[in-house]
Amino acid sequence: MTARTERLVPDGGTVAAEATQSEPEKPTYTRHVEPPEQGGKAYVRCTYCERELLVELGGQDNLSHAPGCPESES
């Protein structure tokens, strides 16, 4: 996200300056609920590899991450 600011300069004009803000850290897992026609059960999804697992099957604790996913090494 970039915010645009202006500052005064000695000749009376302004100079545009960009201030960057750090991107908020994304959560490792997001929680979802299936549509009713698919069972309506709760599941978690890894935000890095996008693999999913039903909460009743262990959710994030038992999720099998894709090769190369930073969470597969933790």
Side-chain angles (χ1 to χ4, degrees), residues 6-66:
E6 292 184 348
R7 63 182 170 89
L8 294 174
V9 290
D11 68 359
T14 59
V15 173
E18 289 187 359
T20 57
Q21 297 176 345
S22 62
E23 191 173 306
E25 192 173 315
K26 67 180 177 178
T28 303
Y29 298 96
T30 54
R31 300 194 177 282
H32 307 272
V33 177
E34 298 173 327
E37 59 272 7
Q38 290 183 335
K41 295 185 179 186
Y43 66 96
V44 295
R45 177 186 297 145
C46 174
T47 57
Y48 297 105
C49 66
E50 298 186 355
R51 292 232 175 136
E52 303 169 345
L53 186 64
L54 292 173
V55 171
E56 67 184 35
L57 296 178
Q60 70 187 49
D61 295 332
N62 291 338
L63 194 143
S64 175
H65 295 275

